[in-house]
Amino acid sequence: MEPDALVPALAQRLGPEAVITDEARLAPYLEERRGLFHGRCRAVIRPASTEEVAESVRLCAAAGISIVPQGGNTGHCGGAAPDAGGGQVILSLERLDRIRAVDPVGHTLVAEAGCILADVQRAAAESDRLFPLSYAAEGQCRIGGNLATNAGGMNVLRYGNARDLVLGVEVVLADGRIWDGLRALRKDNSGYDLKDLFIGAEGTLGIITAAVLRLFPRPRHHATALVGLDGPETTLELLALLRAETGDALSAFEIMARRPVEFALRHGAGCVEPFEQQWPWYVLLDVTSSRRRDDLPGLLEAALARSAGIARDYRVAAEATDRERLWALRNAIPGAQKHEGASIKHDISVPLPAIPEFLARATAAVERRLPGVRPCPFGHVGDGNIHFNLSQPPGMDADEFLGRWDEFNRLVHDIVAELDGSFAAEHGVGQLKPAEVARLKSPVEQDLMRWIKRALDPEDRLNPGKVVPPGD
Ligand code: FAD
């Protein structure tokens, strides 16, 4: 098929409502949310079923056109943005948005890839169950995108990443065949675990169309604490202590340095200075319990009181509005940072004991390289994951600062590599970081990635140029 015959063929097979070519309607699909990546495309295809996804892939293959899968387009690395050439198509999963089944006894739910994460959480809650994946974009991101990026969020400490929440997947392969791997099995050692190839592959190996997700007993009790601390070392001591004192109840453990807290206080709605005294570091933590009777605020108060000076000050909240008030500080940080000018982002992880060394070395290195730069570390420290964001020095030209993105990435990622960490902890690689894959992953790892890509997508039709660095 000639490339120009593709759009009419798609419209004929899937119906005209499934194909967008109008410039104004294309616009929201073309720009990545942070505004870092803008692309062009031939069309956006919106199939409404797995069979229509498969048909679309077969037609694109026949026309020699490559496909960019897209969910909620909330990704941070440009994985869902097409290239600048205008020849690719975006395949949006937004019309595959049915919850196919909920099984409260088996604690599973089958969702199509285009379901919004918040709708999956709601469907689980209606069956008195919990789907624990949760974070700020849950009203926009879609479950297929969550699996394709192996999303993390607030509850990884207790429930794991997206990968840990999946029992089976349904995938359309690069040749248009459908792999029905929708098995609700907790035990299946009957060969390679193929689903794990597609989870975290950012749409480079196949298009996820549905998944069997794991559900959990719904928490009946919640408590939140905000703690003021002297430093990252005592943060880790607090984490160990609370894990010992609260058993498996600890579900979120977030760190914030004083500077991002100040940004939130300055620019965030509903943010108030939490303690009389300012502390260099803060931890925000959640404990939850599904037991009928539990006294989580009492448990937290007792543990923090016994923390022998580790917690320099703390507040415990049990009521939903009080807990939300404490979380307002953490949730306001990403938005507040925008009011402070341009920022260069790092989404890193290191083994937990290396967190203090990473923060000390990375802060010293960036301040030495650019006096006046303002590091704003915060993030899921319970998972070893820090968003080591840098705000520009006040008064510096924003474009000049952003022009040094790669230079600062290299500086910070080299320290991460020396500490045996990852330069892409939860947001993935997309088109932002393939060069770092080439620079920092071992030749053996890179070869394995290329071989898998070549085996599953020999024509390089699925999200070319993303994740896997070019090679022989
Ligand atoms: P998209 O952005 O549409 O796509 C992401 C990647 O997945 C692309 O490479 C795309 O090609 C591929 N893809 C999408 N759907 C499919 C599919 N069905 N099959 C195959 N490939 C597919 N992420 C976290 O991990 N933790 C956080 O705490 C977090 N916080 C965030 C907060 C905000 C305010 C925002 C805007 C984003 C945040 N993110 C976070 C990043 C983002 O929400 C996640 O990466 C999310 O999983 C992306 O889902 P999506 O549906 O928007 O996917």
Side-chain angles (χ1 to χ4, degrees):
M1 186 194 302
E2 289 300 315
D4 286 344
L6 176 68
V7 171
L10 284 164
Q12 200 219 341
R13 300 278 178 87
L14 309 186
E17 74 284 1
V19 184
I20 301 175
T21 51
D22 171 72
E23 293 256 333
R25 289 183 64 207
L26 285 179
Y29 298 91
L30 294 176
E31 178 156 342
E32 177 249 18
R33 205 158 292 226
R34 283 204 294 201
L36 290 179
F37 299 96
H38 319 259
R40 293 172 54 232
C41 71
R42 185 180 290 272
V44 171
I45 328 173
R46 301 164 63 243
S49 66
T50 302
E51 289 68 26
E52 287 190 4
V53 174
E55 178 71 359
S56 306
V57 170
R58 285 193 292 268
L59 285 170
C60 289
I65 301 293
S66 61
I67 296 174
V68 180
Q70 190 175 96
N73 199 16
T74 68
H76 279 335
C77 298
D83 65 19
Q88 299 183 314
V89 299
I90 293 175
L91 191 149
S92 167
L93 279 301
E94 65 194 352
R95 290 174 72 212
L96 273 83
D97 60 355
R98 286 172 310 142
I99 304 286
R100 291 189 191 165
V102 183
D103 175 2
V105 176
H107 282 72
T108 58
L109 179 154
V110 183
E112 293 187 346
C115 289
I116 302 246
L117 172 56
D119 293 335
V120 175
Q121 296 166 345
R122 225 175 339 263
E126 279 163 13
S127 291
D128 198 29
R129 297 288 177 267
L130 171 76
F131 182 63
L133 185 65
S134 172
Y135 64 92
E138 62 199 26
Q140 298 95 45
C141 62
R142 296 176 188 271
I143 200 72
N146 297 144
L147 304 195
T149 56
N150 187 24
M154 302 302 176
N155 297 324
V156 173
L157 186 61
R158 178 150 175 200
Y159 298 101
N161 288 301
R163 186 186 299 283
D164 302 301
L165 305 175
V166 181
L167 293 178
V169 288
E170 177 186 83
V171 178
V172 172
L173 304 175
D175 61 7
R177 282 183 300 163
I178 298 167
W179 173 48
D180 179 358
L182 284 179
R183 295 185 198 104
L185 301 176
R186 279 155 213 271
K187 291 190 167 178
D188 178 12
N189 289 340
S190 58
Y192 300 142
D193 198 341
L194 298 175
K195 71 178 185 310
D196 273 336
L197 282 175
F198 302 100
I199 299 169
E202 301 182 51
T204 59
L205 300 179
I207 300 175
I208 299 168
T209 48
V212 185
L213 304 173
R214 292 175 65 199
L215 303 182
F216 296 82
R218 198 149 79 96
R220 290 186 162 86
H221 310 275
H222 306 254
T224 297
L226 183 69
V227 184
L229 296 136
D230 287 327
E233 292 82 3
T234 47
T235 300
L236 296 188
E237 288 174 41
L238 182 67
L239 176 62
L241 178 111
L242 288 176
R243 291 194 106 165
E245 296 277 334
T246 68
D248 63 355
L250 196 59
S251 57
F253 195 86
E254 300 285 306
I255 196 171
M256 303 176 280
R258 175 67 195 173
R259 184 179 281 119
V261 167
E262 267 167 17
F263 287 1
L265 292 170
R266 219 176 283 159
H267 309 291
C271 296
V272 286
E273 185 73 63
F275 303 117
E276 274 178 22
Q277 195 176 331
Q278 297 177 6
W279 298 101
W281 294 89
Y282 299 86
V283 158
L284 184 66
L285 63 99
D286 268 350
V287 285
T288 61
S289 161
S290 310
R291 281 189 278 273
R292 292 230 168 256
R293 292 218 181 89
D294 224 331
D295 174 18
L296 292 180
L299 185 69
L300 265 189
E301 290 274 3
L304 289 166
R306 267 202 303 275
S307 75
I310 295 173
R312 301 302 307 273
D313 206 345
Y314 58 86
R315 289 173 55 184
V316 175
E319 296 305 321
T321 45
D322 297 335
R323 288 191 290 112
E324 277 160 24
R325 219 166 282 142
L326 293 184
W327 272 94
L329 267 182
R330 166 65 178 86
N331 291 335
I333 290 174
Q337 228 193 328
K338 289 193 187 122
H339 293 276
E340 295 285 333
S343 44
I344 294 176
K345 318 272 188 190
H346 302 93
D347 165 38
I348 67 92
S349 64
V350 292
L352 267 184
I355 289 275
E357 183 179 347
F358 165 75
L359 286 167
R361 286 178 60 187
T363 303
V366 299
E367 289 178 346
R368 212 166 30 241
R369 184 66 64 89
L370 180 62
V373 73
R374 293 171 295 166
C376 288
F378 66 96
H380 318 298
V381 70
D383 316 324
N385 177 195
I386 302 284
H387 300 313
F388 189 73
N389 293 353
L390 307 177
S391 279
Q392 65 171 84
M396 184 176 179
D397 178 72
D399 288 336
E400 187 192 339
F401 180 65
L402 290 177
R404 299 181 68 174
W405 187 295
D406 290 344
E407 174 194 346
F408 277 101
N409 275 190
R410 278 195 299 275
L411 190 62
V412 171
H413 293 164
D414 283 350
I415 296 168
V416 170
E418 282 167 32
L419 295 172
D420 246 338
S422 167
F423 58 86
E426 65 172 4
H427 298 154
V429 174
Q431 50 182 308
L432 188 63
K433 297 180 185 167
E436 291 298 73
V437 174
R439 206 171 68 82
L440 294 171
K441 281 202 178 270
S442 72
V444 173
E445 263 177 298
Q446 292 186 47
D447 275 350
L448 288 168
M449 285 173 69
R450 284 190 203 103
W451 293 343
I452 292 169
K453 172 71 175 167
R454 245 177 256 146
L456 291 182
D457 182 18
E459 306 287 333
D460 200 16
R461 294 269 181 254
L462 295 177
N463 236 352
K466 315 280 172 63
V467 184
V468 187
D472 317 326

